[in-house]
Amino acid sequence: MKLAERVGQVPPSLTLSIAAKAKAMKAEGIDVCSFSAGEPDFDTPAHIKDAAKKALDEGKTKYGPAAGEPKLRAAIANKLQVENGLSYKAENIIVTNGGKHSLFNLMLALIEPGDEVIIPAPYWLSYPEMVKLAGGTPVIVSTDASTGYKITPDQLRSSITPQTKLFVLNSPSNPTGMVYTPEEIKVLAEVLVENDILVVSDEIYEKILYDGAEHLSIGAVGAEIFDRTIISNGFAKAFSMTGWRLGYLAGPVELIKATTTVQSHSTSNVCTFAQYGAIAALEGSQDCVEEMRQAFAQRRKVMLERLNAIPGLFCPQPDGAFYMFPNISKTGLKSLEFCDKLLETQRVATVPGIAFGADECIRLSYATDMESIEKGMDRLDKFVRSL
Ligand code: PMP
Ligand code: GLU
């Protein structure tokens, strides 16, 4: 069978495949410590599940509008106004099957052959692949620990060409956990406005911040950047709703209409009763979000201390999300070999940095219980000392 060329250009998602492998090993009775997929270990809060169950019982089981339930679109617009200072109406919002689907819809609606999309590395692994699937060209700009894994305004400026259409911003970041300060966001916004470049701001980790780190949504900097901003967000991380598949995009009406057209021919509306769970997530108490954040904060402290106590590893302190991104170059191994051997010999699942555009690092998710963290760090320590 001759497959379409476009699929030959993209590998399968390594985060998903390693997580699936770790789950399968566990199901076989193997004692695996999994730091692979970024998936909170908590159950979805009860009031959110109850709202979806009620909607199901009430017969909210039919097709709905492709762009989402009007009540949810309005609740999202309200959240963006109140929490992020962004003035959107319901018509500026599309509800999607997760943050990943939001970004994919956006790329399909916006990017065409010849268009360049600037992506700072280390990046979340799906960004470049989505750009390629849409026929565009990802332009990767490497950053390292010396700038806290942040793109500088000069780096951004010098990577812009007449073909540049979009800049991908992800703060707090997966995989590094770094958070751009409000000042840094303002300067990046200036460069984007000066050059008339669009920005998609992936804010899926906005609620998971530590030690006073502050999240500024780039669209809130001013009217000129607001007009060039698309927000991508979702419910998976903040509300522990990964399997619900619920996300959204916010942006100019023309673009939201175009993504709705794409969605109307691909997935139609997101599961109707699940959207009622999302309304409860936004309108209900936010205490659950803070409780989970506090648990992540404790785990972060323990994992960071343990990682930096291992000779040969170095991990900068992340300010957000739930990932550690230690440098492993002193071990002499490349990331794929490191992760394979670690899983094989010590039963610890991690993701090679090469998947995120940084072969000298590995990624560990600490969205897992403390016991697994302690046990996994003992094993990692033993592994590195044995090299
Ligand atoms: N953006 C980033 C940076 C992510 O890490 C993820 C998944 N972990 C997503 C988007 C997509 O999340 P989902 O599709 O589960 O909403
Ligand atoms: N995004 C999460 C991660 O980076 C989940 C897996 C995925 O969607 O790729 O681990």
Side-chain angles (χ1 to χ4, degrees):
M1 190 191 302
K2 187 182 177 307
L3 297 177
E5 236 173 70
R6 79 178 76 85
V7 289
Q9 296 171 9
V10 294
S13 165
L14 209 54
T15 42
L16 292 185
S17 60
I18 294 175
K21 188 169 172 187
K23 279 184 187 169
M25 286 169 79
K26 272 189 191 168
E28 278 174 37
I30 302 170
D31 173 25
V32 183
C33 294
S34 182
F35 304 123
S36 52
E39 174 161 46
D41 55 324
F42 305 104
D43 196 3
T44 301
H47 69 282
I48 300 175
K49 293 205 287 189
D50 288 344
K53 284 186 214 165
K54 184 165 172 278
L56 188 55
D57 288 341
E58 284 172 354
K60 301 259 182 350
T61 56
K62 304 293 182 198
Y63 290 135
E69 290 294 295
K71 201 170 165 214
L72 177 54
R73 293 173 78 194
I76 293 168
N78 182 57
K79 174 253 179 257
L80 291 169
Q81 179 72 68
V82 173
E83 294 185 358
N84 305 104
L86 301 166
S87 292
Y88 289 118
K89 299 198 180 95
E91 62 181 352
N92 297 101
I93 313 294
I94 176 172
V95 182
T96 63
N97 288 286
K100 191 179 272 183
H101 187 221
S102 288
L103 294 159
F104 191 70
N105 274 341
L106 171 70
M107 296 305 172
L108 275 194
L110 200 63
I111 300 304
E112 56 195 350
D115 289 342
E116 293 180 356
V117 179
I118 299 175
I119 304 173
Y123 45 74
W124 180 46
L125 75 179
S126 293
Y127 298 142
E129 311 310 341
M130 289 175 181
V131 172
K132 286 191 240 164
L133 285 170
T137 307
V139 174
I140 308 298
V141 181
S142 291
T143 69
D144 58 29
S146 69
T147 60
Y149 290 116
K150 296 175 190 180
I151 190 170
T152 64
D154 284 344
Q155 276 182 308
L156 175 58
R157 205 174 279 114
S158 58
S159 50
I160 293 171
T161 74
Q163 282 70 48
T164 307
K165 182 112 183 223
L166 182 68
F167 171 61
V168 179
L169 177 66
N170 174 217
S171 177
S173 150
N174 176 5
T176 65
M178 64 81 197
V179 180
Y180 286 87
T181 64
E183 228 13 80
E184 287 163 343
I185 293 282
K186 284 177 195 158
V187 183
L188 292 179
E190 272 171 34
V191 178
L192 294 166
V193 169
E194 265 167 35
N195 292 278
D196 195 17
I197 307 292
L198 295 169
V199 54
V200 56
S201 182
D202 180 349
E203 307 191 350
I204 199 150
Y205 297 102
E206 64 168 336
K207 307 259 181 182
I208 307 173
L209 297 166
Y210 311 107
D211 296 341
E214 218 183 301
H215 168 75
L216 174 65
S217 184
I218 191 163
V221 168
E224 286 175 309
I225 188 71
F226 179 74
D227 291 343
R228 293 171 174 81
T229 298
I230 304 109
I231 305 288
S232 177
N233 206 333
F235 295 83
K237 313 293 174 176
F239 299 100
S240 201
M241 292 171 73
T242 46
W244 291 61
R245 312 309 304 131
L246 271 161
Y248 56 89
L249 279 179
V253 173
E254 187 190 6
L255 177 70
I256 296 303
K257 275 192 181 156
T259 57
T260 306
T261 301
V262 170
Q263 184 155 299
S264 74
H265 288 299
S266 52
T267 57
S268 304
N269 62 285
V270 173
C271 170
T272 307
F273 53 87
Q275 293 187 57
Y276 285 82
I279 295 169
L282 292 178
E283 293 184 345
S285 163
Q286 300 298 299
D287 292 354
C288 53
V289 179
E290 175 57 13
E291 279 161 24
M292 290 189 263
R293 191 200 65 80
Q294 283 180 14
F296 294 139
Q298 283 174 3
R299 297 162 181 190
R300 163 181 169 265
K301 193 165 176 286
V302 171
M303 193 185 257
L304 186 68
E305 273 174 19
R306 294 290 313 264
L307 279 177
N308 281 327
I310 301 175
L313 297 196
F314 166 68
C315 187
Q317 177 164 292
D319 295 323
F322 36 59
Y323 304 103
M324 296 278 162
F325 205 57
N327 188 305
I328 55 153
S329 49
K330 286 205 175 137
T331 67
L333 296 184
K334 297 280 188 200
S335 64
L336 267 172
E337 196 186 350
F338 187 101
C339 294
D340 276 351
K341 285 195 168 149
L342 180 61
L343 184 58
E344 214 175 281
T345 62
Q346 294 292 335
R347 308 294 189 219
V348 176
T350 55
V351 187
I354 195 165
F356 308 98
D359 203 12
E360 67 288 2
C361 295
I362 63 165
R363 191 193 79 174
L364 299 95
S365 158
Y366 53 90
T368 189
D369 62 282
M370 199 65 105
E371 199 191 324
S372 303
I373 291 176
E374 293 281 14
K375 191 158 70 172
M377 290 301 106
D378 289 343
R379 293 179 185 185
L380 178 63
D381 189 301
K382 201 165 145 204
F383 173 73
V384 176
R385 288 175 199 271
S386 74
L387 292 173

